[in-house]
Structure formats: C-alpha cells, structure tokens
Amino acid sequence: MKKRLDSWFVMVALVAMAIAALAPAAHAATEDPVGTAAIFDIGMGARALGMGGAFVAVVDDGNTIYYNPAGLAGVEGHKVSSLFSTLYGAGNYIGAGYAQKNVGAGIIGLMSTVTEKDEYGNPIDEFGYREGAVMGGYARKFGMFSIGGSLKLYSQTILDNDGFGITGDIGALIDLPWIEGFRLGAVARNLVGTAKYGSGHTDKFDPVFVIGASMKPIPKLTVAADFDVTSTKGHVGVEYQVIPALAVRAGGVFAQDGDMRFSAGAGFSVQNFTIDYAYQMHTALPDSHWLSLGMSF
C-alpha cells in the first residue's frame, strides 16, 4: 500500500512539472487575462530578491511558501522571516513567512495613498489602496521528489470597493543526488479562483508557470535560475557565503522586451538571527530597498 501511495505522489510531482512545461499552450488558451492580484508578482524576502527572485529551486527558508510550496518538505527546524520596503516610493510593502518541515504560512500586504490631481496638477482628493494575502501550505517528500500546495486568501480595497478571492499554487522539486546540490523545481501559481468586488465586478486570477534550477558548483556558492514561462521572463541569481556570519548576493531579471533589472544584497547572521538587505534597480520606477529580519530555532 505504501509503495502505491509513494508512486502516486511521484506521478503527481511529475504532472506538476509537466504543467509548467505546457504553460505556453495554457496561457494562449486563456481569454483576456485581466492581471488582478499584482501583489503575487512582487516577491517575498530580501534574500530571494537580492538573488533576482531566482528562488523556485532554492526554497529553504521562511519565504518558501511564496516561491514554491514543495520546498516545505525539506525545511529543517523552524524558519521565520519578515520583509519591509517602501515600494517604488509609492507605498509600504510588508511580508512575513514561517516554515517548518512539511508546513508553512505567510502574509503579504501593500498599503498606499494615491493623490488625485486636476488637469493643472493641483491635488483635489486622496484615496487609499490596500492589497494583501494570507497563505498556508503543506508538502511531502518521497525519495528525491517533493510536492506541495498552498491556499491563498486575497483581498483588495480601492475607493471603498472591497474585493476578495481564493486561489492556490502547486509546486514540485526534484533533488538529483548524483550532482552536488542540484535541484529542479516547478510551480504553477494562481491556478484557480476569481476575485469578487462589492461593485459586482469580478477578475479571474491569472495563472503563472515557473520552472527553476539551482546548484552548488563549489562549496559556499549557490547559483540559481528561474524562467517564467507565462511572461517569458528569466531570473538569475548567486549567493556566496563569505564567512558563516556574512553572505553576499547578486542577480538580475531579463524580460523578452529587453527590460533588464539588476539586484544585489547581503545577509548577516548572529547566532539564530539574520538581517538581509537587497537593492533592486528599475528602468522607469524608483529603485527599491528591501529589509528582512529572520530567525531560526
């Protein structure tokens, strides 16, 4: 019976990988995506953001549930992480994540005040914008395969028009033991669900399909790459552990339209506590600064 169950989960893991590989066809079949829930595309954790967001196959800290819930199956101990940024100088973005073996949770939120102006540029009114999500997930490991899923409760408020929706992710990881630190990952995000607003308007969540890989070519060095199949966007990142108390990071995002964004960061650890910082360059918007505080126990 156990052999049958393990075989079934391995098949599900392979199906999750196949979903990501077949994403172009699924995306082409989607009629008029409206692009709701942009908060799911920003990121979570200064460590991952310093690596250009290339984290689908790394996932080993408190931000695992955001990038690939399958990583929860391999988390050691208890990991807690938080995040803060004045995003693009236009609002406050916060996040917090927790992960332990097989189980994880997270919360993200964006809060901003927008000033409405007349045709002459004079301010005439202000209104608040709020967007957030709460996440919970579970994963299991079967040999070198891991599979996990998460449920996400989404909310948005703009001009007193409240919207709510439920969606979810499914992810998979494969650890290849014959290559040091080599992992393949895939995640299908926002697979189902619709956000419904008080005005009667509805927006379907747009599925996003990402595949990734990570490896350790030499001790203390992690190299990672993700490819967002849906938007044909690549993420690359590196992390080097200079000393046990200091890690340095760099990364980049490369879009099909030629848009390139680079990032850099560093992580400092004291006993069980970590402080991570990331800097992101943007083409048109102001550059971003990210700060994370973490703890493991």
Side-chain angles (χ1 to χ4, degrees):
M1 178 68 179
K2 186 178 183 300
K3 279 189 174 182
R4 286 185 182 179
L5 187 61
D6 288 358
S7 299
W8 185 84
F9 273 99
V10 167
M11 288 179 64
V12 175
L14 293 174
V15 168
M17 292 287 192
I19 288 174
L22 294 174
H27 181 60
T30 302
E31 295 182 2
D32 190 25
V34 294
T36 194
I39 198 169
F40 292 139
D41 298 325
I42 295 174
M44 184 174 172
R47 179 188 174 206
L49 290 164
M51 296 174 66
F55 217 66
V56 165
V58 178
V59 284
D60 58 0
D61 62 18
N63 306 300
T64 293
I65 192 170
Y66 184 95
Y67 290 96
N68 185 354
L72 295 170
V75 172
E76 298 180 358
H78 304 262
K79 311 282 188 179
V80 179
S81 181
S82 63
L83 175 69
F84 175 78
S85 176
T86 53
L87 189 63
Y88 311 134
N92 295 322
Y93 182 80
I94 60 172
Y98 170 79
Q100 66 177 58
K101 191 172 183 61
N102 300 330
V103 179
I107 184 170
I108 50 177
L110 175 62
M111 295 153 285
S112 179
T113 300
V114 180
T115 302
E116 184 181 0
K117 298 181 179 180
D118 62 20
E119 57 184 313
Y120 303 106
N122 300 313
I124 57 175
D125 197 7
E126 285 188 345
F127 60 90
Y129 177 83
R130 303 289 184 270
E131 190 176 13
V134 177
M135 301 167 278
Y138 179 80
R140 287 288 302 274
K141 189 175 182 67
F142 301 91
M144 63 182 185
F145 295 95
S146 298
I147 184 167
S150 65
L151 188 67
K152 304 191 290 191
L153 309 181
Y154 170 79
S155 68
Q156 183 191 85
T157 299
I158 183 170
L159 293 174
D160 297 322
N161 185 25
D162 296 335
F164 299 93
I166 300 176
T167 186
D169 303 346
I170 183 171
L173 277 175
I174 300 178
D175 292 275
L176 301 180
W178 52 86
I179 303 177
E180 179 63 28
F182 187 49
R183 308 174 88 190
L184 296 175
V187 61
R189 299 179 180 139
N190 312 326
L191 281 175
V192 296
T194 301
K196 300 180 180 180
Y197 297 86
S199 63
H201 179 70
T202 61
D203 274 348
K204 289 184 177 179
F205 292 103
D206 298 332
V208 176
F209 303 88
V210 186
I211 55 177
S214 69
M215 65 181 299
K216 295 179 181 290
I218 60 173
K220 302 181 181 180
L221 176 66
T222 299
V223 179
D226 289 357
F227 182 65
D228 185 331
V229 184
T230 312
S231 60
T232 58
K233 183 186 300 181
H235 301 254
V236 295
V238 296
E239 178 183 61
Y240 184 70
Q241 197 76 37
V242 181
I243 57 176
L246 172 65
V248 293
R249 307 172 184 116
V253 181
F254 305 90
Q256 187 182 34
D257 59 7
D259 181 30
M260 294 184 293
R261 290 175 283 151
F262 297 98
S263 61
F268 308 90
S269 61
V270 179
Q271 295 182 347
N272 295 335
F273 297 90
T274 59
I275 300 175
D276 294 295
Y277 167 78
Y279 169 78
Q280 278 186 319
M281 298 174 59
H282 301 284
T283 304
L285 297 168
D287 294 346
S288 305
H289 301 269
W290 303 86
L291 181 65
S292 287
L293 303 177
M295 179 176 66
S296 60
F297 56 95

